[in-house]
């Protein structure tokens, strides 16, 4: 995200976005037939070259494929698709190294209202890269904003579809310039009574407009987020999760150490005695003895 957000704030926005998008269908973008979103993934890949590349948003879908969601405001289709090809290579390379499998990748490009038509394929001989285009010039941002404004002012909950559209309002067709719409949308989101939903929406707007938002305004919004009650609660929750992860890692390391000691004892002590001295169960020690004999 644009400049200077703290490590904790990045964690919080990531967690908030995860909760917002989890189990969501993409029909709201006109993308019918795609599997539902299972999880938001980190969007920074280990660089194969010296530079670092970061996609806009990366999702794991329910069919185990990866969705690469990009936001564009230009018609440099060749340059952009070469960029997506680079991202795809990095994703494939990362998952192959980690899991020894090739992950199917889907590419969706959300074009701001500046773009009225788009190419969805780049042919290069035996190499073909395809994407699905979502043209936000076809959406009336002002009308959608007004409908959502009425619901928020009357303290009515937003549907999942309205929430997803609300996030993209600043990129839709409007009589206002983009920065004005970003500010109007975020200021309206601050009026949502449920603080968790409020943070989800603002995190989504910051992500969708990351390439277009004024950096100083973005910094102000991030500072405001840090002061919210739900932010403090989420920080505490993240700290607890990290503490639990550390304890689990220590426990696993101790278990591995006990296993190594048990293997050495098996030559000189009976199974029940090895279990007593190492803290492993008799069944675990018996399995180790079986492995060793094989």
């Amino acid at each position: 995200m644009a400049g200077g957000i703290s490590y904790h704030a990045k964690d919080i926005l990531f967690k908030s976005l995860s909760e917002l998008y989890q189990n969501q269908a993409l029909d709201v973008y006109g993308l019918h037939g795609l599997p539902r979103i299972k999880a938001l993934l980190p969007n920074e890949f280990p660089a194969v070259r010296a530079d670092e590349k970061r996609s806009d948003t990366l999702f794991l879908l329910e069919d185990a494929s990866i969705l690469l969601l990009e936001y564009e405001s230009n018609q440099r289709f060749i340059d952009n698709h070469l960029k997506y090809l680079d991202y795809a290579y990095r994703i494939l390379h990362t998952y192959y190294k980690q899991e020894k499998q090739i992950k199917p990748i889907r590419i969706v490009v959300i074009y701001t209202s500046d773009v009225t038509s788009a190419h969805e394929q780049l042919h290069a001989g035996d190499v073909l890269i395809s994407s699905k285009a979502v043209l936000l010039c076809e959406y009336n941002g002002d009308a959608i904003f007004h409908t959502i404004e009425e619901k928020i002012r009357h303290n009515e909950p937003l549907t999942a579809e309205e929430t997803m559209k609300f996030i993209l309002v600043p990129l839709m067709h409007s009589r206002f310039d983009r920065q004005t719409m970003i500010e109007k949308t975020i200021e309206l989101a601050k009026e949502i009574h449920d603080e968790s939903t409020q943070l989800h929406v603002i995190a989504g707007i910051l992500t969708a407009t990351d390439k277009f938002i004024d950096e100083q305004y973005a910094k102000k919004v991030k500072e405001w987020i840090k002061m919210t009650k739900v932010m403090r609660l989420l920080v505490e929750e993240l700290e607890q999760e990290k503490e639990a992860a550390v304890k689990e890692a220590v426990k696993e390391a101790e278990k591995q150490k006990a296993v190594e000691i048990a293997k050495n004892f098996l030559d000189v002590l009976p199974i029940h005695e090895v279990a007593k001295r190492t803290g492993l169960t008799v069944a675990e020690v018996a399995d180790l003895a079986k492995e060793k004999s094989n």
Side-chain angles (χ1 to χ4, degrees):
M1 289 189 173
I5 187 163
S6 71
Y7 175 77
H8 258 323
K10 280 183 180 178
D11 272 359
I12 295 302
L13 291 182
F14 185 83
K15 184 175 180 62
S16 188
L17 281 173
S18 296
E19 293 172 4
L20 171 66
Y21 285 113
Q22 193 167 18
N23 299 319
Q24 290 295 324
L26 294 162
D27 294 358
V28 66
Y29 300 144
L31 300 168
H32 304 288
L34 283 183
R36 294 166 74 90
I37 292 169
K38 185 175 181 180
L40 181 69
L41 298 174
N43 62 345
E44 295 179 350
F45 328 126
V48 178
R49 298 187 294 275
D51 59 326
E52 183 179 61
K53 297 295 183 182
R54 179 173 65 86
S55 67
D56 288 338
T57 317
L58 208 60
F59 296 107
L60 175 66
L61 303 185
E62 286 185 339
D63 66 349
S65 64
I66 302 291
L67 171 63
L68 181 62
L69 187 66
E70 292 290 308
Y71 300 92
E72 302 291 358
S73 62
N74 62 69
Q75 294 182 303
R76 296 193 295 272
F77 303 118
I78 293 177
D79 290 341
N80 290 337
H81 279 75
L82 289 175
K83 175 177 64 177
Y84 310 149
L85 183 61
D86 189 26
Y87 293 163
Y89 168 73
R90 291 167 188 258
I91 295 167
L92 289 169
H93 188 268
T94 298
Y95 277 99
Y96 185 72
K97 280 180 65 179
Q98 292 174 352
E99 304 176 10
K100 291 296 181 282
Q101 63 172 309
I102 297 297
K103 287 275 191 184
I105 297 175
R106 306 168 188 266
I107 301 172
V108 171
V109 187
I110 297 180
Y111 291 96
T112 67
S113 58
D114 308 276
V115 180
T116 56
S117 64
H119 298 295
E120 295 183 313
Q121 291 188 332
L122 176 63
H123 292 267
D126 288 340
V127 177
L128 167 67
I129 182 165
S130 300
S131 64
K132 289 184 173 63
V134 178
L135 297 175
L136 293 184
C137 64
E138 298 173 353
Y139 292 77
N140 186 332
D142 293 336
I144 292 171
F145 180 89
H146 178 70
T147 299
I148 291 172
E149 183 179 36
E150 288 294 305
K151 292 194 74 170
I152 290 175
R153 297 272 159 84
H154 288 89
N155 198 21
E156 297 175 22
L158 300 179
T159 66
E161 181 175 342
E162 287 169 335
T163 301
M164 302 287 272
K165 284 184 177 178
F166 189 22
I167 286 168
L168 294 180
V169 160
L171 307 182
M172 295 176 181
H173 179 73
S174 171
R175 67 184 186 276
F176 299 103
D177 65 81
R178 180 151 299 124
Q179 181 60 32
T180 299
M181 281 307 291
I182 289 172
E183 294 181 19
K184 280 168 62 71
T185 306
I186 289 178
E187 295 309 310
L188 178 59
K190 289 180 182 179
E191 296 182 30
I192 297 174
H193 288 269
D194 180 77
E195 287 193 354
S196 181
T197 302
Q198 179 191 88
L199 183 59
H200 293 345
V201 170
I202 293 174
I205 296 169
L206 286 174
T207 301
T209 63
D210 183 61
K211 292 178 178 176
F212 320 107
I213 192 169
D214 175 77
E215 191 170 327
Q216 289 304 309
Y217 179 73
K219 188 174 180 181
K220 277 174 55 181
V221 174
K222 290 163 187 174
E223 290 299 324
W224 179 85
I225 287 173
K226 291 178 191 176
M227 295 185 291
T228 64
K229 180 173 70 177
V230 72
M231 175 71 164
R232 292 194 296 274
L233 292 173
L234 285 172
V235 167
E236 290 174 12
E237 187 180 321
L238 277 168
E239 290 295 348
Q240 290 170 359
E241 289 175 3
K242 287 177 182 177
E243 187 177 331
V246 169
K247 287 180 179 177
E248 186 61 32
V250 170
K251 185 178 176 182
E252 182 60 28
E254 289 174 348
K255 176 78 174 283
Q256 289 304 314
K257 187 176 180 180
V259 166
E260 292 305 315
I261 293 171
K263 286 178 180 178
N264 293 328
F265 279 158
L266 279 170
D267 292 331
V268 293
L269 294 173
I271 287 175
H272 70 277
E273 186 64 27
V274 173
K276 182 179 177 182
R277 296 194 181 202
T278 61
L280 298 175
T281 66
V282 171
E284 287 172 331
V285 177
D287 287 340
L288 288 175
K290 189 176 179 180
E291 285 176 19
K292 194 166 185 180
S293 64
N294 292 336

